[in-house]
Amino acid sequence: MWAGVTSFVDRVTLHVAGGNGGHGVASVHREKFKPLGGPDGGNGGNGGDVVLVVDPQITTLLDYHHSPHRRATSGKGGQGGNRSGASGEHLLLPVPDGTVVKTMGGDVLADLVGAGTRFVAAAGGRGGLGNAALASPRRKAPGFALLGEPGEVADLVLERKTVADVALVGYPSAGKSSLVAAMSAARPKIADYPFTTLVPNLGVVEAGDVRYTIADVPGLIPGASEGKGLGLEFLRHVERCSVLVHVVDCATLEPGRDPLTDLDVLEAELAAYRVDPGMVPLLERPRLVVLNKIDVPDGKELAELVRPDLEARGLSVFEVSAVSHEGLRELSFALARIVAEARAAVPAPAPRVVLRPRAVNETGFTVTPERTGHPEDGVRYRVRGEKPERWVRQTDFANDEAVGYLADRLARLGVEEELFKAGAVAGCEVVIGDDDTGVVFDWEPTLVAGPGVLAGPRGADPRLDEGGRATRDERREAYESRRQAKRVARSELAEERAAGVWTDPDVHDRTGLHDHQEGGGQEDDEG
């Protein structure tokens, strides 16, 4: 019994992580008689993806129950001589046909049906660019490279839903496993105690030219839709079946039970179960009633007694015996006819494309003022967007040139303009990203080239646009305010540096030129 429980797992929590991207490298070509060889740092390799792939040979999620943490390999770092790092290998995780991928909150991400169907559970991070790729006519010898991005990390719930054409539903010990064994070559466990079937049993039935699969799923009891007994573990495997067969025990000895009462309980539980959006409710699917165990004399008499009442409800009724095989041929052909009609009504399944819609933002980022909770701190400004957050992850903040490159990219994207519009001034606290992985800094505005620059698409003149265009005096005033803000911010940074806030004692002790070099750079920049 316990071996059957541990060998079949149809719901697991999987923790996946894509591989990290390799770092780019900053390198200069060195060769005899060529003192100015130029940058030749290679790019880092991309990290590997974690991909779920439907494998018809896999029937359980047991492997992920024992090993729920899976990670793809990371990309290698770049090297000098324009040598790029190798990309990490994708990690392919085989899953059974009919696996549903959900978030921890219950949102469906993918429905994997059909051999070979794939879903990228965690994408690998892209590799960082080397200084050879960052070189341009204006930046001929970059002294920095971009870092590789970390891979995606996700916590997913995998649920396996049996893919079968016909589902046998009924009370425990109603004879469902015996019917599967009598109608197909499957040999499920059969015994005379309740809940013999703990996992779905599949059998293949051939009736004429139609071949279909029949599933014997765990027994149903009152309250199953609320999780009682095997509850949802049973009903999950009924969702994909086209035909439901109510197997009613006509030879039960339990008091208070009869075929009509059993059928009412089964119908009530099926009606209370909510299927996934887009699927047909269980009670709206074709249903048959099988009066089983008519080989018992009392069972035969009871079946003939209740059959008119069941047919009056509009249900097709079959009297069968899994022991003597009486009525099984008629049942198998009736099911084949209904399955063929259901298949004809549904178009051939096409490869499923997983879409992850994202909110559309014209600028690609947002700037939101936030209260810090401390009156002395005031307001901070949070920048969220795919590009700014990715650029922050790629920046080596130990390299001043890399930080300057990040500032240039943010300015070109329009982040500074939006910060000004939001009311930010020099020295304000700005956060790019979330609280866990974001970067916090005191904002120092970048000085623009001039107050009267006009830019626009070819064939257009912004001066002809009267819709709120600033006057020359207003542009000059904005220019002077930014210049003043930049001067104030730099003076504050100089005071902090002089006070030792930004001085590394180890570096200062090793090189007495540390402060002198930084002060000289500041004077040159101010000049």
Side-chain angles (χ1 to χ4, degrees):
M1 176 177 177
W2 291 107
V5 174
T6 58
S7 63
F8 183 86
V9 176
D10 59 356
R11 190 178 191 274
V12 297
T13 300
L14 184 64
H15 310 279
V16 293
N20 298 328
H23 299 328
V25 66
S27 174
V28 177
H29 180 70
R30 300 181 183 276
E31 187 176 349
K32 191 176 182 180
F33 305 118
K34 289 185 179 180
L36 302 177
D40 67 347
N43 303 331
N46 297 328
D49 300 336
V50 179
V51 185
L52 304 179
V53 185
V54 174
D55 187 350
Q57 304 300 323
I58 303 298
T59 59
T60 178
L61 299 172
L62 180 64
D63 291 343
Y64 310 120
H65 173 73
H66 294 307
S67 301
H69 298 272
R70 301 299 177 99
R71 186 183 188 93
T73 56
S74 300
K76 302 297 183 181
Q79 301 180 31
N82 293 309
R83 290 175 293 177
S84 297
S87 297
E89 296 183 358
H90 299 318
L91 178 62
L92 303 181
L93 302 180
V95 296
D97 193 4
T99 300
V100 178
V101 185
K102 298 182 179 180
T103 63
M104 298 298 293
D107 297 330
V108 178
L109 298 177
D111 192 354
L112 306 180
V113 177
T117 304
R118 292 176 169 238
F119 172 72
V120 179
R126 68 177 68 184
L129 297 179
N131 65 341
L134 295 173
S136 65
R138 296 182 58 187
R139 188 188 297 105
K140 296 184 179 180
F144 67 98
L146 299 184
L147 304 179
E149 295 184 53
E152 290 184 357
V153 178
D155 298 328
L156 305 175
V157 176
L158 304 185
E159 290 185 355
R160 189 226 170 167
K161 298 181 180 180
T162 303
V163 180
D165 298 303
V166 179
L168 302 181
V169 298
Y171 268 78
S173 299
K176 300 182 299 298
S177 300
S178 301
L179 284 177
V180 172
M183 298 178 64
S184 68
R187 291 296 176 262
K189 182 179 180 180
I190 300 174
D192 58 354
Y193 54 82
F195 294 108
T196 306
T197 303
L198 298 176
V199 300
N201 297 307
L202 293 179
V204 179
V205 181
E206 292 188 6
D209 297 334
V210 180
R211 173 182 293 183
Y212 58 91
T213 56
I214 186 170
D216 162 31
V217 289
L220 187 63
I221 62 174
S225 60
E226 301 175 357
K228 294 183 179 180
L230 295 177
L232 301 178
E233 307 299 325
F234 154 75
L235 292 171
R236 183 185 306 132
H237 297 280
V238 181
E239 287 190 27
R240 299 187 185 278
C241 298
S242 302
V243 185
L244 302 181
V245 177
H246 296 299
V247 180
V248 179
D249 188 358
C250 290
T252 181
L253 300 178
E254 296 183 21
R257 283 187 54 189
D258 60 84
L260 296 179
T261 303
D262 290 355
L263 182 62
D264 292 338
V265 172
L266 296 177
E267 297 270 85
E269 295 302 323
L270 295 178
Y273 181 75
R274 293 184 178 181
V275 299
D276 291 337
M279 302 187 69
V280 180
L282 298 182
L283 285 187
E284 296 182 11
R285 305 180 188 184
R287 305 189 309 281
L288 303 178
V289 177
V290 170
L291 301 177
N292 194 21
K293 302 182 182 180
I294 62 172
D295 55 291
V296 180
D298 294 340
K300 179 66 173 178
E301 296 178 1
L302 182 59
E304 294 177 352
L305 180 63
V306 300
R307 178 167 186 163
D309 295 334
L310 296 175
E311 292 178 343
R313 300 185 182 185
L315 298 173
S316 299
V317 182
F318 293 86
E319 300 178 13
V320 302
S321 170
V323 177
S324 63
H325 291 200
E326 181 180 353
L328 294 184
R329 179 177 176 83
E330 294 80 3
L331 175 62
S332 63
F333 277 91
L335 293 175
R337 183 178 65 258
I338 298 176
V339 169
E341 295 175 355
R343 292 175 179 174
V346 178
R352 304 196 177 194
V353 180
V354 180
L355 301 178
R356 291 183 175 180
R358 297 181 180 179
V360 177
N361 185 278
E362 294 181 358
T363 60
F365 65 92
T366 58
V367 177
T368 307
E370 297 179 351
R371 291 288 178 181
T372 59
H374 302 283
E376 61 275 9
D377 295 339
V379 180
R380 67 179 178 185
Y381 298 84
R382 185 178 300 274
V383 180
R384 297 304 304 267
E386 180 182 358
K387 286 185 178 181
E389 294 182 34
R390 185 177 75 242
W391 292 345
V392 165
R393 292 193 298 266
Q394 294 175 336
T395 301
D396 179 10
F397 287 93
N399 189 308
D400 294 339
E401 190 176 351
V403 176
Y405 178 66
L406 171 63
D408 293 341
R409 301 175 84 178
L410 294 176
R412 288 195 301 268
L413 186 62
V415 174
E416 289 199 351
E417 292 291 338
E418 293 298 325
L419 285 172
F420 274 115
K421 294 179 182 179
V425 296
C428 286
E429 181 179 339
V430 176
V431 184
I432 300 181
D434 54 21
D435 293 332
D436 296 331
T437 60
V439 175
V440 183
F441 60 92
D442 293 335
W443 182 44
E444 179 184 351
T446 301
L447 191 63
V448 296
V453 179
L454 295 176
R458 180 175 300 180
D461 190 344
R463 293 172 295 183
L464 301 179
D465 184 10
E466 300 296 338
R469 186 173 66 88
T471 63
R472 184 179 182 87
D473 293 339
E474 292 174 345
R475 294 197 303 272
R476 185 176 297 279
E477 182 180 355
Y479 171 75
E480 292 298 336
S481 64
R482 296 186 188 184
R483 185 173 181 177
Q484 178 65 22
K486 185 176 182 67
R487 185 180 296 109
V488 172
R490 288 195 170 184
S491 63
E492 292 178 356
L493 291 176
E495 293 176 359
E496 293 178 354
R497 186 181 294 110
V501 177
W502 303 104
T503 302
D504 188 346
D506 297 334
V507 176
H508 187 271
D509 293 342
R510 291 196 306 267
T511 60
L513 299 178
H514 181 75
D515 292 339
H516 174 71
Q517 290 177 348
E518 290 191 350
Q522 181 183 355
E523 292 176 0
D524 295 341
D525 197 10
E526 285 287 342

